[in-house]
Amino acid sequence: MERILVSLARYDQSILCCDKILSTYPNNSEVLFDKAVSLAQIGSPQVFEVLSLAIGADWRLKIKAKSHSAFAKYNSDQEFLRVRSEEHTSELQSLAYLVCRLLLEKK
């Protein structure tokens, strides 16, 4: 539902819809991401906090954020870069990264 509202450029309604879903499922990474998209479209400073929560719940969303047009205007913003950098650091410290690195070193 919230994605339909975003596609119709009804960002305020999308945010309300996301908030309603998040009140029941607070760690839903996709809904957090959709809310961040809507916040970015209206220029809200909350975009960084919500995007950080979304990426924290699912680090793969940082790839989606890099290519999403809603975040294009933030690519040079230091706070946006910091959110992505913090996630990159935590990704590098993950067990999956360690296993991949060890496998690559064996080659």
Side-chain angles (χ1 to χ4, degrees):
M1 177 72 160
E2 70 277 1
R3 289 188 185 154
I4 294 170
L5 293 168
V6 169
S7 69
L8 296 172
R10 297 169 79 176
Y11 306 118
D12 290 334
Q13 289 177 329
S14 172
I15 293 166
L16 292 173
C17 183
C18 289
D19 285 341
K20 188 167 185 151
I21 296 168
L22 291 168
S23 69
T24 305
Y25 305 101
N27 296 321
N28 185 315
S29 59
E30 288 292 331
V31 175
L32 285 164
F33 186 84
D34 292 341
K35 181 177 179 180
V37 168
S38 294
L39 290 168
Q41 294 290 7
I42 63 171
S44 172
Q46 289 180 317
V47 66
F48 302 114
E49 177 185 347
V50 176
L51 183 60
S52 184
L53 290 172
I55 293 172
D58 183 353
W59 64 268
R60 294 171 293 185
L61 289 174
K62 75 177 179 179
I63 298 165
K64 193 173 175 180
K66 286 180 186 179
S67 62
H68 200 289
S69 61
F71 302 112
K73 62 185 170 191
Y74 296 105
N75 280 332
S76 63
D77 189 294
Q78 291 302 314
E79 192 169 355
F80 185 66
L81 294 172
R82 182 184 54 76
V83 167
R84 292 191 340 212
S85 175
E86 286 174 2
E87 285 309 313
H88 182 67
T89 301
S90 67
E91 177 188 335
L92 292 176
Q93 294 171 348
S94 72
L95 181 59
Y97 178 80
L98 177 62
V99 170
C100 289
R101 195 177 75 210
L102 291 172
L103 289 172
L104 288 172
E105 286 177 0
K106 282 188 168 186
K107 286 188 174 187

